[in-house]
Amino acid sequence: MRLSLVPTPIGNLEDITLRALRVLKEAEVVACEDTRRTGILLKHFGISKPMVRLDQHTVGQARRLLQGYERVAYVTDAGTPGISDPGAELVALALREGWQLEVLPGPTALIPALVASGLPTARFAFEGFLPQKRSERRARLAQVTGRTVVLYEAPHRLRETLQDLLQIYGPEHPVAVARELSKLHEEIWRGRLADALEYFKEPRGEFVLVLGPKAEPTAGLEQEAEAVLEHLKAQGLKGKALVKALTEAGVPRNRAYELAHKPDTP
């Protein structure tokens, strides 16, 4: 079997490539996350193909659902399959099964948001959608603060995520918030985290957040903070109590959080 992963527009339908259209036309079947959504896309470009639903619940059955087809095109709801969607699991299955794999280049929200942010692009970490649990979310963020970070976020969680970012990075830290990229109401807001929280009071649309790297503390201050940390941990403090005690000792709150949640070395 030949499996082709075909990127589709994240908003503006003009972003589809000529190669993507050719592959969709040549495929025997189009596998997709949502047959209704993909059906609208195919109809717009005059393509009539049978469709098979392969979403996060059914992608594990891909071998059975695609049996008998030699040329399969796979699309997700929008953007490049395999980035924060079931496409990654399908690729893993294809490699295990020995299918011929083809991945087309094309639309994604990640790169336009990063470039338009005006923040450093030489090194960056893409975290996609963060964990829903706040403690896990903050722990993940604390690991990548030394470089530019790109995040995806849904509107109903945007403010909560901004609050977490403010605690870790500080209110003055630069951030770019891209909303509805390539669509009619596209917006790219740039400023401080504190101002972003004030600006996005009623978030609507799909969001990409880009944060600049956080300056590392100087060696002297870091050694002092580590010494305070060990002293407080020896007293049995941990969690929120440890963060509070570190802050009261003069350690910046975002750094205090990182230190308090740093795993113990054996």
Side-chain angles (χ1 to χ4, degrees):
M1 180 197 299
R2 182 184 182 89
L3 174 66
S4 299
L5 271 63
V6 182
T8 53
I10 60 175
N12 192 325
L13 294 179
E14 293 179 357
D15 290 336
I16 198 153
T17 68
L18 294 175
R19 184 182 174 193
L21 291 174
R22 176 181 60 78
V23 171
L24 289 171
K25 291 175 182 177
E26 293 177 351
E28 297 175 53
V29 64
V30 176
C32 54
E33 274 192 279
D34 188 327
T35 54
R36 290 171 298 178
R37 186 164 184 166
T38 300
I40 294 172
L41 178 74
L42 295 179
K43 183 178 180 180
H44 177 84
F45 289 107
I47 300 172
S48 178
K49 295 288 177 179
M51 290 180 287
V52 173
R53 188 181 186 108
L54 281 184
D55 57 17
Q56 60 179 338
H57 305 294
T58 60
V59 68
Q61 307 171 41
R63 180 171 57 179
R64 176 180 62 82
L65 294 172
L66 299 177
Q67 187 174 5
Y69 294 108
E70 292 298 325
R71 298 179 68 88
V72 178
Y74 180 68
V75 303
T76 47
D77 287 347
T80 300
I83 304 296
S84 298
D85 61 41
E89 187 175 344
L90 182 60
V91 168
L93 173 63
L95 295 177
R96 290 197 302 269
E97 294 294 324
W99 298 346
Q100 187 177 355
L101 181 66
E102 176 185 39
V103 180
L104 279 62
T108 177
L110 162 62
I111 299 302
L114 173 64
V115 175
S117 71
L119 296 167
T121 60
R123 298 181 66 209
F124 65 91
F126 173 62
E127 290 294 319
F129 289 99
L130 294 172
Q132 293 190 14
K133 192 173 180 180
R134 169 163 280 184
S135 59
E136 295 177 1
R137 208 161 54 233
R138 290 186 172 183
R140 175 87 65 82
L141 289 168
Q143 296 173 3
V144 292
T145 55
R147 65 187 66 181
T148 300
V149 178
V150 185
L151 310 169
Y152 287 165
E153 195 50 274
H156 67 278
R157 282 182 29 179
L158 178 68
R159 288 185 57 81
E160 187 175 359
T161 296
L162 286 172
Q163 289 169 349
D164 289 343
L165 293 171
L166 191 147
Q167 292 295 323
I168 294 171
Y169 284 87
E172 302 295 322
H173 196 80
V175 62
V177 182
R179 185 179 73 89
E180 297 290 88
L181 282 171
S182 86
K183 299 177 184 177
L184 179 62
H185 300 292
E186 175 179 301
E187 177 184 16
I188 300 178
W189 184 95
R190 305 173 184 86
R192 306 180 312 150
L193 274 169
D195 295 330
L197 197 56
E198 178 66 21
Y199 182 82
F200 292 100
K201 290 183 176 179
E202 298 181 359
R204 294 181 181 179
E206 298 300 321
F207 292 86
V208 184
L209 285 73
V210 185
L211 296 113
K214 186 175 72 171
E216 295 297 328
T218 62
L221 291 176
E222 180 64 8
Q223 291 175 0
E224 183 179 343
E226 292 279 359
V228 173
L229 172 68
E230 294 305 317
H231 175 71
L232 294 173
K233 289 176 70 173
Q235 298 180 30
L237 294 179
K238 59 183 179 179
K240 292 182 179 179
L242 180 55
V243 173
K244 181 180 179 182
L246 285 166
T247 304
E248 291 174 348
V251 179
R253 182 171 178 78
N254 55 342
R255 184 56 181 153
Y257 183 87
E258 292 176 10
L259 289 170
H261 291 82
K262 184 173 70 171
D264 294 327
T265 55

